[in-house]
Amino acid sequence: MASVSAVLLQRSSSRAREYLRLQRTASYSVALHLEGEGLRWWWSNSCGRGGRFGARAAHRMAGSGEGENGGVPEGGEVAMAPGVVTGGVEDAYGEDRATEDQPVTPWAVCIASGHSLLRDPRHNKGLSFTEKERDAHYLRGLLPPVVLSQDLQEKRMLQNVRQFQVPLQRYTALMDLQERNERLFYKLLIDNVEELLPVVYTPTVGEACQKYGSIFRRPQGLYVSLKDKGRILEVLRNWPEKSIQVIVVTDGERILGLGDLGCQGMGIPVGKLALYTALGGVRPSACLPITLDVGTNNEDLLKDEFYIGLKQRRATGQEYSELLDEFMAAVRQNYGQKVLVQFEDFANHNAFTLLEKYRTNHLVFNDDIQGTAAVVLAGLIAALKSVGGTLADHTFLFFGAGEAGTGIAELVALEISRQAKVSVEAARKKIWLVDSKGLIVTSRKETLQPFKKRYAHEHEPVKDLLGAVKAIRPIALIGSAGVGQSFTKEVIEAMSSINERPIILALSNPTSQSECTAEQAYTWSQGRAIFGSGSPFDPVKYNDKLFVPAQANNAYIFPGFGLGVVISGAIRVSDDMVLAAAEGLAEQVTPEHIEKGLIYPPFSIIRKISANIAARVAAKAYDLGMASQLPRPKDLVKYAESCMYSPVYRSYR
């Protein structure tokens, strides 16, 4: 039997002591000792587990026979720790007496109260605890006497964040808030989303990932490394939450436009899931950020003494594939088949392979491929409300043929095929791609990667982007190559000479990698461009007219998409569901938005947008027979809104 110590912190009471029966689970035994309803007591075992319970919880535990075996076998023993005193001043746990060489028990609190409640980010309310709550949960004296409303706390925190001039300092301040007061963090983000989104996510999160080793304070997700091969299920079970609905996972090889950041890419899953909650309403406790550490090929990180990941070259081939297979199997075994796994910032050579490999047997979504495609398609549909015609009436040129570029192209082709009732192969003829070697044409087919070959059309070779624009004469130029300033003045002027309202989408992140700035697009097109970008740009004044650049941010799509998958209980993600998300976003763009040059609705109504997208996605899942949440709600928009997480403080008994 496991060795056990039980230490009772007794509180004065006139009631008689009550000895409850001995309790045993598969891994521990403990004696419960209760003195009055106000008693607080502690238990621990040799496995390092421990807890603190109130009287009612103790009664429930003792009477329920918790644990697999329940009760104590004949001959079982419980060793009571020496020095049980009512004052609780003795070093009962031996931590002060222990040397650095002696192990001590890492105590954990099961029912939060007092100091531990103030350290619990999910339940901590800071100065918003009422007088009654302070008495009921032993907080009296642990807080200053003032009681503040959550709105006043939010006002003060926003003022503090604004005092920082450096974006990374703002990011750190917000992450610190998330770690100490979860509800206040999300209320602040929801109420000020347009101001704080660039801080919590792109472009600031890119710098945060680059410096993650230096600013690292405490882990915010799960790290699964090559060292864990063969025991990934065990690692997943170490995460305290068991009801997980959305996982965002990265291997850190292609973080935004910054390249291989290895284990420090954790900032991306953490940021994405913060937006799942703030923008899409998925509960924080149902979200799990994961980084797969398979090494890094970044020489600077390998030499960095503060790097937090494995200092070895990236695993490839069979070793990499086996780790991913084990990870996906462990996720399914631990959380079931209805947990959405979002692949994030995997390199091109893995992104397409993983999506195709797992999409038939797992609920998977790649935001870089499918999410980016949906938000860009929505922008193109909205832009055509100003330009005129349908997608099938125009030609599109992509600068960048990686996972984002080809993902967008494929979804646009799918939408053209649906609208024009032609085959996807025929629809692809409307789409041309330029990569680092020039226009993708049939004469290059032998040297092209498989996902590029479908867009190799008959044409003379063209070596540069300007030549491709002049040859193809597209209505829209879409950049996703991560090559900053590649949309030169000559390129924009060429687009403007071909079209009255050229569509210019500079999608690469962060801002330094953007193909052009908003000011350049409007100036070089003489104010005629319909502009969208991946990173935010300030409004531009040209010829006394104010232009508000549209941000083609994936945050328009993936939070609502994920919510739709969750509320419908979808078991697979289909292309039709991604198309439904794009159409749901496009229909939120009003004529007033178009008049201002906007091809996306304002982020200030993002929760309304997400609810509508979720409803469209869920409806498609039900129509395709992929939904398991039955019966189907009559009003999916209202149902989606009712399922959204609220960051408003709860009252405690």
Side-chain angles (χ1 to χ4, degrees):
M1 186 183 78
S3 62
V4 180
S5 66
V7 183
L8 305 171
L9 176 58
Q10 302 177 359
R11 297 180 62 86
S12 59
S13 171
S14 60
R15 300 192 179 189
R17 294 181 179 179
E18 177 184 3
Y19 288 87
L20 304 179
R21 67 175 180 156
L22 296 177
Q23 207 45 43
R24 182 178 187 270
T25 70
S27 60
Y28 66 88
S29 299
V30 64
L32 306 181
H33 182 173
L34 180 67
E35 183 175 16
E37 292 185 357
L39 176 70
R40 293 182 292 172
W41 55 275
W42 296 85
W43 61 267
S44 76
N45 70 356
S46 59
C47 298
R49 298 181 61 191
R52 170 183 180 180
F53 294 82
R56 292 181 182 177
H59 276 291
R60 285 198 301 270
M61 180 177 174
S64 65
E66 284 184 2
E68 296 179 6
N69 300 325
V72 175
E74 191 173 345
E77 297 180 0
V78 174
M80 297 300 293
V84 178
V85 292
T86 57
V89 296
E90 183 169 328
D91 182 19
Y93 313 133
E95 294 184 0
D96 295 337
R97 295 194 301 268
T99 68
E100 292 184 358
D101 297 330
Q102 292 175 316
V104 296
T105 301
W107 292 90
V109 177
C110 290
I111 297 181
S113 65
H115 189 269
S116 62
L117 180 55
L118 298 178
R119 297 296 183 270
D120 181 352
R122 185 180 304 174
H123 300 106
N124 178 33
K125 299 196 290 185
L127 293 177
S128 284
F129 282 109
T130 65
E131 298 287 350
K132 184 178 179 181
E133 289 170 336
R134 296 182 189 205
D135 287 332
H137 296 280
Y138 308 101
L139 296 172
R140 182 69 61 181
L142 298 182
L143 291 167
V146 70
V147 176
L148 300 181
S149 67
Q150 189 179 16
D151 288 338
L152 193 56
Q153 283 184 308
E154 179 186 353
K155 180 180 179 181
R156 183 180 64 179
M157 189 63 208
L158 183 60
Q159 187 178 67
N160 291 342
V161 170
R162 285 172 175 169
Q163 288 177 352
F164 293 111
Q165 299 300 314
V166 179
L168 186 60
Q169 292 177 333
R170 293 187 174 193
Y171 173 88
T172 303
L174 288 173
M175 292 302 102
D176 286 345
L177 176 62
Q178 185 182 22
E179 292 176 5
R180 69 175 183 270
N181 190 329
E182 188 175 86
R183 287 184 180 271
L184 182 58
F185 167 79
Y186 284 112
K187 190 171 191 304
L188 181 68
L189 182 54
I190 291 169
D191 293 346
N192 304 276
V193 63
E194 290 180 295
E195 178 180 352
L196 298 181
L197 183 64
V199 179
V200 173
Y201 202 60
T202 182
T204 308
V205 73
E207 183 183 0
C209 288
Q210 288 177 309
K211 300 176 180 178
Y212 209 77
S214 299
I215 66 174
F216 180 83
R217 284 173 168 77
R218 55 183 294 184
Q220 294 178 287
L222 270 181
Y223 294 86
V224 178
S225 76
L226 292 171
K227 292 181 179 180
D228 304 314
K229 194 174 180 181
R231 39 188 263 179
I232 294 179
L233 180 60
E234 178 185 338
V235 173
L236 293 181
R237 287 174 174 168
N238 285 339
W239 189 251
E241 303 296 339
K242 305 306 175 188
S243 181
I244 299 298
Q245 294 173 321
V246 180
I247 291 172
V248 176
V249 59
T250 185
D251 70 352
E253 189 170 5
R254 194 199 62 82
I255 298 299
L256 301 175
L258 303 172
D260 186 350
L261 296 183
C263 191
Q264 297 188 167
M266 177 58 92
I268 297 297
V270 169
K272 285 279 185 180
L273 288 170
L275 300 186
Y276 260 109
T277 297
L279 312 186
V282 180
R283 290 179 298 107
S285 60
C287 298
L288 175 55
I290 297 179
T291 289
L292 301 178
D293 188 357
V294 296
T296 178
N297 294 333
N298 187 320
E299 292 292 344
D300 292 335
L301 292 180
L302 292 174
K303 296 174 183 177
D304 185 355
E305 62 178 327
F306 298 121
Y307 178 56
I308 60 175
L310 295 177
K311 290 191 175 182
Q312 66 179 65
R313 293 284 178 181
R314 279 191 170 271
T316 58
Q318 184 176 352
E319 185 180 16
Y320 182 89
S321 180
E322 288 176 352
L323 186 78
L324 266 294
D325 286 344
E326 183 186 348
F327 169 73
M328 294 300 295
V331 165
R332 183 164 183 161
Q333 182 176 347
N334 202 44
Y335 301 119
Q337 67 172 336
K338 291 188 288 185
V339 59
L340 176 64
V341 179
Q342 177 174 312
F343 295 120
E344 192 68 33
D345 286 351
F346 285 76
N348 292 344
H349 57 271
N350 288 323
F352 289 98
T353 302
L354 295 177
L355 183 60
E356 291 304 315
K357 181 177 183 179
Y358 296 118
R359 68 186 306 175
T360 56
N361 297 313
H362 296 267
L363 185 65
V364 295
F365 174 74
N366 187 304
D367 187 48
D368 301 302
I369 298 174
Q370 297 163 294
T372 300
V375 75
V376 174
L377 175 59
L380 291 174
I381 294 173
L384 291 182
K385 295 178 183 179
S386 176
V387 173
T390 66
L391 290 171
D393 297 328
H394 299 287
T395 303
F396 304 89
L397 180 63
F398 288 78
F399 179 63
E403 57 183 300
T406 53
I408 300 166
E410 195 64 8
L411 197 66
V412 172
L414 185 60
E415 181 72 0
I416 290 174
S417 73
R418 302 288 169 85
Q419 289 183 0
K421 294 181 171 51
V422 298
S423 67
V424 176
E425 290 74 18
R428 290 188 185 122
K429 301 295 184 183
K430 293 285 186 179
I431 299 169
W432 295 78
L433 274 60
V434 174
D435 64 7
S436 60
K437 296 180 181 178
L439 190 66
I440 293 179
V441 294
T442 51
S443 61
R444 294 178 51 198
K445 215 165 189 178
E446 294 300 320
T447 61
L448 293 173
Q449 293 168 286
F451 56 87
K452 294 182 183 181
K453 289 182 178 180
R454 63 187 66 170
Y455 292 99
H457 307 317
E458 286 288 345
H459 197 282
E460 292 295 319
V462 179
K463 293 297 183 181
D464 60 8
L465 178 59
L466 179 59
V469 168
K470 292 178 178 179
I472 303 304
R473 301 178 65 82
I475 183 66
L477 178 59
I478 303 157
S480 61
V483 181
Q485 295 298 301
S486 52
F487 290 179
T488 62
K489 181 180 180 181
E490 292 74 20
V491 169
I492 301 295
E493 287 177 343
M495 285 291 297
S496 302
S497 68
I498 297 167
N499 306 283
E500 178 63 29
R501 298 297 306 276
I503 302 171
I504 308 295
L505 301 182
L507 304 178
S508 295
N509 287 315
T511 309
S512 61
Q513 306 297 320
S514 183
E515 285 78 9
C516 68
T517 67
E519 184 176 9
Q520 289 169 339
Y522 291 125
T523 302
W524 294 339
S525 67
Q526 299 178 338
R528 292 189 283 119
I530 298 175
F531 178 78
S533 60
S535 290
F537 285 102
D538 293 330
V540 176
K541 192 171 185 180
Y542 179 81
N543 283 350
D544 296 326
K545 183 176 181 181
L546 187 66
F547 294 90
V548 181
Q551 186 184 0
N553 196 318
N554 288 21
Y556 275 116
I557 290 290
F558 70 81
F561 183 88
L563 180 63
V565 168
V566 169
I567 65 174
S568 64
I571 58 174
R572 296 290 181 272
V573 170
S574 73
D575 289 334
D576 286 327
M577 292 163 65
V578 181
L579 279 177
E583 293 164 355
L585 175 57
E587 69 184 12
Q588 301 295 308
V589 181
T590 66
E592 291 75 18
H593 297 146
I594 296 296
E595 182 66 25
K596 295 177 182 178
L598 293 173
I599 55 175
Y600 299 104
F603 255 108
S604 57
I605 58 169
I606 186 60
R607 280 207 154 195
K608 176 187 174 184
I609 296 168
S610 293
N612 280 275
I613 291 174
R616 291 290 295 263
V617 171
K620 185 59 67 174
Y622 280 109
D623 293 343
L624 296 174
M626 293 182 175
S628 63
Q629 186 67 38
L630 301 173
R632 174 175 177 164
K634 293 182 179 179
D635 190 328
L636 282 169
V637 174
K638 288 185 177 179
Y639 181 65
E641 292 174 340
S642 71
C643 292
M644 284 182 163
Y645 166 82
S646 170
V648 177
Y649 286 148
R650 303 289 299 275
S651 296
Y652 299 147
R653 286 190 290 267

